[in-house]
Amino acid sequence: AVSTNGKLRVATIWLDGCSGCHMSFLDIDENIARIANLVDIVYGPLVDFKEIPENIDVALIEGAVSNEEDREHALELRAKSKLVVAFGDCAVTGNVPSMRNWCGATAVLDRAYNENVDEQPGVPYQVVPGLLPTVLPLKEVIKVDFHLPGCPPSADLILETLKQLCAGRTPQLTSRFCFG
Ligand code: SF4
């Protein structure tokens, strides 16, 4: 699934995540030069492209699916990507964002925008994407080809995953996985 210049076209995104998985990606440190020879980052917070392009080889999706915007991004990336990786525990299981599931979306909005606000309370529905009733792991919304757990996944694991995908293999890393 490698593109015409021989490099894997990789997109990354964070949905409802803390960006820690992307920070771990950056922790690849000097190996980033090796990765640069193998992949083109064609979309994501690490680069400045505004539109999700077509013909993505691998999408690394951090974060759970918590609102309508997350859902739309996940669906668009799925439609444009050959392989989707659930990148980190929030994407794999819901993890931290799903802690709101026990009380529901309305209670969370109330707490954030009414109960704890002295001036101009009220949920800014015009600018805040609508919350889904339940926070979902990625696989509940789109087909996921590979789960890369960890909170965050280690830089070594991310590097190994990309190297194996570049070699056209399904990563065999189960013995090295660590949840949480
Ligand atoms: Fe942050 Fe951990 Fe979720 Fe990654 S898995 S987005 S590091 S909370």
Side-chain angles (χ1 to χ4, degrees), residues 17-21 62 88-90 95-96 150-152:
C18 73
S19 83
C21 295
E62 170 189 319
D89 282 354
C90 293
N95 197 29
V96 177
C151 182

Side-chain angles (χ1 to χ4, degrees), residues 146 148 156-166 171 173:
F146 184 68
L148 181 56
D156 281 352
L157 211 52
I158 296 167
L159 179 63
E160 194 55 35
T161 300
L162 288 175
K163 277 166 48 185
Q164 293 201 24
L165 288 173
C166 287
L173 303 165

Side-chain angles (χ1 to χ4, degrees), residues 15 39 64 68 107:
L15 306 179
V39 310
E68 291 297 344

Side-chain angles (χ1 to χ4, degrees), residues 46 73 113 163:
L46 304 178
H73 280 137
Y113 292 106
K163 277 166 48 185

